[in-house]
Amino acid sequence: MEVTQLLAIGLAAVLVLIVGMYWRLRNTTWAARPPIIVGDPDVTRRLIFDHADAFSNHPLFPLGIDLDAGHPKTTSITSAPYGPFWRAIRRNLTVNILHPSRVAELLVPLQRDAVDALVADVSSAAARDTVVGVRDAVYAAVFSTVARLCFGEDVGDHHDVRSMQKMLHDFFHDEVGAFDLLTSRWARLVHRGKWRHLLSTRSWLGDAFGPVIASRRLSRGSRSNNDGGGMARSYLDSLLDVRVPGNFDDPGESSNEAPRGLRDDEIIKLVWEFLGASTEAVVAIIEWTMAHLVAKPEVQEKLYLELTAGDHQNGQVSDERLRDTPYLRAVVLETLRLHPPLPMLIRDVGPDGAAAAGIPTPPNGTVARFMFNAEVIGRDPKVWSDPEEFRPERFISGGEAENLSLVPGPKEIKMVPFGAGRRHCPGAGLSMVHIGAIVAALVREFEWAPPEDGGGVDLTDSTALFVKVMASPLRARVTPRVSQS
Ligand code: HEM
């Protein structure tokens, strides 16, 4: 046999090996057993509400890996097992930050600066170019507000906020995202550096937020009454004060261990959850809303007229103001119906849940994973007329979804963008105010039209970690409105 033939055979063997390895690695997933996908609103209602005890646990490791391995365990509200620890940290967030009175007191004043900066950004982009993108400017406006809610005014200088924003953005929007790394060993092999970076999340979060927490502890310690020195009490302040049951794994109602304060590594996890939860989905919905307004000028005009009528002109958006601007609320709800940014509500259930759902009992010590598909539920033709149509009128007086609440009750489910049952999103009210204020400012100040290049509005979606976003960032022709005053 000639050398060239030998070489060809060797090369072919190597290729077969590589392709085999590729397929083996590609098909390795972190969820060992396939989840059970539910898209029917009635089945969702029955399982989540009628069997609430069994359907109240989210996955313990939302990213599929234990990022605490080798360290004391930490948890977020999202991943804490249903029980007293979860209740304590969720209650702390709802009472201290998300309660409507706190939203009015904390969020609304902070938004003013962020919205002004956003309007200035869009104005200068529109002056430079006929076609502008809105995603980055909105991201900055939302994050700067959220960072101040989280850390208070002493969050640091502009540079610190920007570097936190970049960290969060890279985590969700890196082109080789955590999801690719977790679902494919091939991706881990090719992007070893990024995989190592993901595994060391705990340590780089510590480097970023540890000093902020330490400095806040210090400044509070130097004041006798921990009153924040006249500053509004931030989420971080509440986390420094909250008392939790000794052990977050304890499923019982009463732990034997004495209540304790949170450790810094636990606070870091909760702060990271807060920043991510209050930025990503909010930005996604603002962009989807603007996309529909560009695509449907008649809806945009109707909204503009509502926003500029009477004393709404230049008014801040608050919970009450949203009640006075039903069309704005309807436009945002219609966007949430069509594009729930977290399209899957996940529940891990044991034998009770499996029995309720009529599926085989999961083997000892394991769970069955249910994914309730919010996107399918919100577009169910049994529930919605012309479900694929963007029609905000459904949500106003006389419409098929008049008076629909943000989070469904136990009687009926029509849409679940903020989830359902005990684990529903506690940030729904704050989100509506935050989204409403930004959309209101963008529509009041500018007219939005499709780019002249004929590209139109592309409503294709893609997933950034867990969040459904527009696959191509929105681009629009933006014209400043003539001042009404
Ligand atoms: C448009 C904005 C938002 C959307 C669409 C959204 C959606 C969701 C969804 C679908 C869930 C899972 C619910 C379930 O499993 O039933 C969730 C959970 C959660 N969200 Fe939101 N969210 C938004 C904004 C916020 C904001 C502003 C916060 C404030 C910090 C927040 C904090 C949380 C937390 C802590 C959980 C976990 C709740 C638990 O496990 O008990 N979210 N969110």
Side-chain angles (χ1 to χ4, degrees):
M1 200 179 286
E2 285 188 18
V3 179
T4 46
Q5 277 176 314
L6 274 175
L7 274 175
I9 291 170
L11 199 64
V14 170
L15 271 176
V16 167
L17 259 174
I18 290 176
V19 171
M21 197 169 82
Y22 168 74
W23 280 107
R24 260 212 331 275
L25 296 176
R26 206 184 106 113
N27 294 331
T28 308
T29 61
W30 47 278
R33 280 175 311 125
I36 296 144
I37 314 271
V38 181
D40 183 86
D42 290 333
V43 177
T44 303
R45 190 209 60 73
R46 184 172 67 77
L47 294 178
I48 288 189
F49 285 104
D50 297 352
H51 299 280
D53 284 341
F55 281 80
S56 288
N57 272 310
H58 282 159
L60 200 53
F61 304 118
L63 281 178
I65 39 166
D66 181 2
L67 292 172
D68 289 333
H71 300 278
K73 279 207 262 181
T74 59
T75 184
S76 58
I77 302 172
T78 314
S79 58
Y82 179 72
F85 188 95
W86 165 80
R87 198 166 292 118
I89 51 178
R90 180 172 164 124
R91 189 171 182 283
N92 174 63
L93 172 63
T94 46
V95 169
N96 290 299
I97 304 292
L98 302 177
H99 187 273
S101 63
R102 296 291 289 158
V103 170
E105 186 186 340
L106 298 173
L107 177 77
V108 175
L110 284 178
Q111 272 183 329
R112 207 165 300 143
D113 289 346
V115 167
D116 287 351
L118 171 63
V119 168
D121 255 18
V122 176
S123 293
S124 56
R128 279 196 311 273
D129 220 328
T130 43
V131 174
V132 303
V134 75
R135 185 182 285 179
D136 291 347
V138 167
Y139 201 97
V142 171
F143 188 83
S144 64
T145 307
V146 161
R148 285 186 165 76
L149 269 182
C150 186
F151 298 111
E153 279 306 319
D154 60 353
V155 58
D157 58 19
H158 189 64
H159 171 74
D160 291 337
V161 175
R162 275 293 159 112
S163 65
M164 286 179 195
Q165 181 185 316
K166 184 174 176 329
M167 249 168 58
L168 187 75
H169 189 274
D170 289 352
F171 192 72
F172 274 84
H173 302 274
D174 195 327
E175 90 257 23
V176 186
F179 185 78
D180 301 310
L181 295 169
L182 289 159
T183 49
S184 152
R185 277 199 209 159
W186 182 248
R188 284 178 230 165
L189 211 67
V190 177
H191 303 284
R192 265 193 309 262
K194 293 197 172 179
W195 177 238
R196 273 201 299 270
H197 184 66
L198 180 67
L199 289 179
S200 62
T201 300
R202 190 180 157 114
S203 106
W204 55 259
L205 285 182
D207 293 345
F209 299 123
V212 186
I213 296 171
S215 127
R216 189 65 188 147
R217 272 198 202 283
L218 207 68
S219 65
R220 283 158 48 99
S222 64
R223 295 184 190 108
S224 52
N225 57 1
N226 281 353
D227 66 353
M231 264 168 31
R233 202 158 159 273
S234 64
Y235 183 45
L236 174 57
D237 285 321
S238 76
L239 292 172
L240 290 168
D241 290 332
V242 71
R243 309 288 296 166
V244 294
N247 174 3
F248 78 73
D249 285 324
D250 186 351
E253 284 306 304
S254 57
S255 169
N256 291 334
E257 292 176 49
R260 60 176 178 89
L262 290 168
R263 304 186 308 266
D264 278 11
D265 54 343
E266 293 176 307
I267 296 180
I268 288 168
K269 184 78 151 269
L270 290 162
V271 154
W272 184 237
E273 172 188 57
F274 182 87
L275 297 174
S278 3
T279 304
E280 295 296 332
V282 168
V283 173
I285 284 296
I286 293 170
E287 192 177 32
W288 282 116
T289 307
M290 295 311 297
H292 282 287
L293 295 179
V294 171
K296 289 212 152 189
E298 67 284 7
V299 174
Q300 188 184 153
E301 190 55 22
K302 195 165 166 183
L303 178 57
Y304 175 70
L305 291 177
E306 179 184 79
L307 293 169
T308 50
D311 65 349
H312 301 317
Q313 215 179 312
N314 300 326
Q316 292 287 310
V317 170
S318 63
D319 236 8
E320 281 157 32
R321 185 68 86 192
L322 271 178
R323 274 194 289 278
D324 295 348
T325 49
Y327 200 62
L328 172 61
R329 186 174 186 276
V331 165
V332 177
L333 282 176
E334 180 67 338
T335 310
L336 282 159
R337 178 184 74 79
L338 285 171
H339 310 282
L342 300 179
M344 293 290 182
L345 315 180
I346 308 180
R347 298 290 183 276
D348 280 357
V349 308
D352 288 358
I359 58 155
T361 309
N364 239 354
T366 64
V367 289
R369 175 157 301 169
F370 281 74
M371 288 187 167
F372 299 94
N373 192 327
E375 209 168 39
V376 171
I377 293 171
R379 296 176 185 223
D380 188 330
K382 292 197 303 295
V383 177
W384 300 95
S385 57
D386 303 321
E388 303 297 325
E389 275 268 312
F390 184 81
R391 199 195 293 152
E393 285 69 17
R394 307 171 194 276
F395 293 94
I396 55 179
S397 183
E400 62 193 302
E402 179 188 1
N403 299 329
L404 195 77
S405 54
L406 297 179
V407 177
K411 289 209 181 101
E412 185 189 33
I413 282 187
K414 284 186 162 197
M415 59 190 253
V416 282
F418 293 108
R422 293 175 186 165
R423 301 305 287 251
H424 75 263
C425 176
L430 177 139
S431 302
M432 290 300 286
V433 171
H434 207 173
I435 295 164
I438 291 182
V439 170
L442 291 176
V443 172
R444 218 169 31 222
E445 301 295 331
F446 308 100
E447 192 178 341
W448 298 77
E452 256 160 0
D453 57 17
V457 181
D458 179 2
L459 295 175
T460 315
D461 58 41
S462 75
T463 304
L465 200 50
F466 314 112
V467 182
K468 273 260 172 100
V469 295
M470 289 181 71
S472 327
L474 174 67
R475 291 164 66 251
R477 256 180 314 130
V478 175
T479 316
R481 303 255 190 196
V482 179
S483 168
Q484 298 293 304
S485 50

